[in-house]
Amino acid sequence: PRARPARPDLSPAATRAAGARCSAARYPEPVLRALALRDFVLVEAARLELGPGLNVLTGETGAGKSLLVDALGLLTGVRADAGWVRQGAARALVEAEFDGAAPRVASRALVSEGRNHARLDGELVTLTELAEAVGARVQVFAQHAQQALLSPSAQRAALDRILDDDGRTAQRDWARAWTERSAVAAELTTLQAEARERLQRADLLDLQISEIDAAEPRAGEEDELTAEARRLRHADRIAGAVARALTALDDDDGAAERLAAARRDLDDAARLDERLAPLARELSDALVATRAIATELSAQLDEAAPEPGRLDRVEHRLTRLQRLFAKYGDGSAALIAHRDAAVQERASLDADDRRIGELEARRTELDAILVDAGARLRDARRRAGARLSEGAEPLLTRLALPGARLRVAVDAAEPGPHGADRVRFDFAADPGERLGPLAQAASGGELSRVMLALWLVTGADAPTLVFDEVDAGVGGRAAAAVGELLAELGARHQVLVVTHLAQVAAHARHHLHVGKARRDDRTITTVAPLDADARERELARMLAGHEGDAPRAAARDLLDRAERPRSERP
């Protein structure tokens, strides 16, 4: 599992010292090393080299800054738009290079005519696999992403990132119990829904087993009975044939007597011609066999006549078996196999009934576990809510919202996969105002600042965070504070920000400029890193729209202030 980022110290003292601490912090190694684009909208070919800490993208409106964020979004599973393939090109390619463990390269190709495809380290993968791999490393917040913070699930997820150890234990206990209870409930529902069918099936199996057991079939019995019935039907004909055969063999002038005379004559001849000896012996054997056959035939004739009514009983038994064969299988072996299978199925039906009792008992146990885990989790969330308020409010003051209050309400709700709580962030921008749900109480500019404060307090699961105009709706002192806090966030994450504010851009460790150029009568988007002089000129343009002496001086002042520890700024 992915290592969770370290949690910040949320005490008021630690929060007040965050600016000074940030300037001396060791920036993390970059996770996203580079982003390469080819034939993507207005980008013919571009490569963004990114570094640790805070990276900013600036440029004129319409230059294509947000397109670069859109490109990263594609790698995290955002639905593709065929219009993103540059006009005249067959396909667009977005490729990200990462430091650290595999996968090192993730790419997604958009084809104007055909099927799009995704790759990890050159191997074809599904879009889901791509999104999971990249989403574990990069979290993208496009324009108006702060709206996501308004959903109860997002607020609950943000709060859960700062649960204490007891809360995390309760969260795991709840998740395990909820998963098992869901499976138990589903199985129980299925078994209970099928109860009537099982009863009907059990009655049918009992009838079949009883009917077959009553017949007491034996393997091969039908062949024996068929042969016996044939003998009984033709008893007189068989007896006549045997009698005639016996007479032919054992009469005074029968075959046996003639063979005996022939043997005597041949024995006499063999004494004179030894070549006849083998024939004499064979003739002697034939005589012995003939007399044995006659003895057997005589014994059969001496046997008593067939038992009266035996033929009727044999034919009745055959008829009974044939009826069972028609129902359950062709032959006694199949009939016995059907009976054995029915016994096994009947036992399984009894097991299902016992299983219902076991499941009901386990459900009761799990309900008790959920009650306990849910209560512990609710207490932990309320503790985390208090810490969140304590950590966020000083940050809101720095963001030009003095006196702003943020409170976390944790109330009981219908149980679900994440607990039995409803989490709601309540906000008031000014002292004396009544707290209300964040969605209703915060303006667009205030919401951007609240989101940034929350991210600083709660952290994020992904090492790289991408913001598209998180500073929308802010200016003045608040804009400078946004830059400071984004830099602080960059002490724990790699941060990429699209901004129009020089006060934010001044805090960047890596500044890239997005512009437009004409080539072959086509407009293309360009991306280039800025050196110190170019960066000063860009900040001047952002401040005043031109690069005059006064804007350049103001830009140098911004850069100087951004580089100084917060405690040393005037």
Side-chain angles (χ1 to χ4, degrees), residues 434-445:
R434 180 179 301 176
L435 287 164
L438 185 60
Q440 302 170 13
S443 66

Side-chain angles (χ1 to χ4, degrees), residues 264-329:
R264 288 191 296 271
D265 290 339
L266 201 54
D267 284 343
D268 288 342
R271 293 188 190 98
L272 299 175
D273 186 351
E274 62 182 9
R275 293 176 301 173
L276 297 174
L279 295 176
R281 288 193 295 272
E282 291 181 14
L283 189 58
S284 178
D285 292 341
L287 177 59
V288 171
T290 300
R291 285 174 174 169
I293 292 171
T295 299
E296 289 290 332
L297 292 176
S298 177
Q300 287 198 22
L301 285 176
D302 290 342
E303 287 181 358
E307 179 184 347
R310 176 61 183 170
L311 178 59
D312 290 340
R313 291 194 295 278
V314 169
E315 289 182 336
H316 181 268
R317 175 66 175 174
L318 278 171
T319 300
R320 183 178 185 183
L321 290 175
Q322 290 296 340
R323 243 189 339 261
L324 293 176
F325 295 163
K327 288 183 180 180
Y328 307 122

Side-chain angles (χ1 to χ4, degrees), residues 109-111 113-117:
L110 310 181
V111 182
E113 293 184 6
R115 187 173 182 179
N116 300 336
H117 61 263

Side-chain angles (χ1 to χ4, degrees), residues 226-293:
T226 299
E228 183 180 2
R230 185 170 58 250
R231 290 195 302 271
L232 292 172
R233 292 190 195 100
H234 302 287
D236 291 342
R237 182 178 174 183
I238 293 170
V242 169
R244 290 191 298 274
L246 181 60
T247 298
L249 293 175
D250 204 31
D251 220 10
D252 290 341
D253 193 28
E257 286 301 321
R258 292 186 180 189
L259 285 172
R263 187 194 66 180
R264 288 191 296 271
D265 290 339
L266 201 54
D267 284 343
D268 288 342
R271 293 188 190 98
L272 299 175
D273 186 351
E274 62 182 9
R275 293 176 301 173
L276 297 174
L279 295 176
R281 288 193 295 272
E282 291 181 14
L283 189 58
S284 178
D285 292 341
L287 177 59
V288 171
T290 300
R291 285 174 174 169
I293 292 171

Side-chain angles (χ1 to χ4, degrees), residues 350-362:
D350 289 339
D352 284 343
D353 291 335
R354 291 192 299 273
R355 177 66 174 160
I356 287 178
E358 295 169 358
L359 291 172
E360 289 175 336
R362 182 56 180 162

Side-chain angles (χ1 to χ4, degrees), residues 38-243:
R38 187 180 303 121
D39 292 325
F40 185 77
V41 195
L42 296 178
V43 179
E44 183 178 49
R47 179 179 173 86
L48 288 74
E49 299 283 351
L50 303 173
L54 177 59
N55 297 257
V56 299
L57 292 171
T58 64
E60 295 286 356
T61 301
K65 300 184 297 297
S66 295
L67 289 177
L68 303 176
V69 177
D70 292 337
L72 272 173
L74 283 174
L75 297 178
T76 62
V78 173
R79 177 176 293 184
D81 186 334
W84 284 346
V85 178
R86 187 167 177 263
Q87 186 177 357
R91 70 172 193 161
L93 179 66
V94 178
E95 185 174 87
E97 298 176 15
F98 295 94
D99 285 337
R104 304 291 293 274
V105 179
S107 65
R108 188 171 176 188
L110 310 181
V111 182
S112 56
E113 293 184 6
R115 187 173 182 179
N116 300 336
H117 61 263
R119 294 180 185 271
L120 291 173
D121 286 339
E123 181 181 351
L124 281 172
V125 295
T126 65
L127 180 57
T128 298
E129 291 170 330
L130 176 74
E132 288 176 352
V134 178
R137 300 182 177 193
V138 179
Q139 197 163 6
V140 178
F141 300 91
Q143 291 187 31
H144 312 299
Q146 64 268 26
Q147 297 299 320
L149 186 63
L150 303 181
S151 72
S153 61
Q155 294 179 3
R156 188 258 317 146
L159 181 65
D160 284 353
R161 282 198 290 272
I162 59 170
L163 288 175
D164 55 27
D165 291 341
D166 291 340
R168 295 194 185 285
T169 299
Q171 192 177 39
R172 287 192 296 269
D173 292 344
W174 176 279
R176 283 194 294 265
W178 178 266
T179 299
E180 184 182 354
R181 192 195 184 283
S182 298
V184 165
E187 185 179 356
L188 192 55
T189 297
T190 299
L191 290 176
Q192 290 173 336
E194 295 172 350
R196 178 175 296 177
E197 294 178 8
R198 283 200 307 279
L199 286 173
Q200 294 172 350
R201 182 64 178 167
D203 287 346
L204 177 61
L205 293 172
D206 288 341
L207 179 62
Q208 292 178 357
I209 294 168
S210 175
E211 186 177 23
I212 295 172
D213 284 347
E216 299 180 345
R218 291 183 296 105
E221 180 184 4
E222 68 274 22
D223 295 333
E224 298 172 7
L225 292 172
T226 299
E228 183 180 2
R230 185 170 58 250
R231 290 195 302 271
L232 292 172
R233 292 190 195 100
H234 302 287
D236 291 342
R237 182 178 174 183
I238 293 170
V242 169

Side-chain angles (χ1 to χ4, degrees), residues 146 399 443-453 469-474 482:
Q146 64 268 26
L399 290 167
S443 66
E446 291 166 347
L447 193 56
S448 297
R449 285 175 275 177
V450 170
M451 186 183 76
L452 182 56
E469 301 187 18
V470 68
D471 50 19
V474 299
V482 168

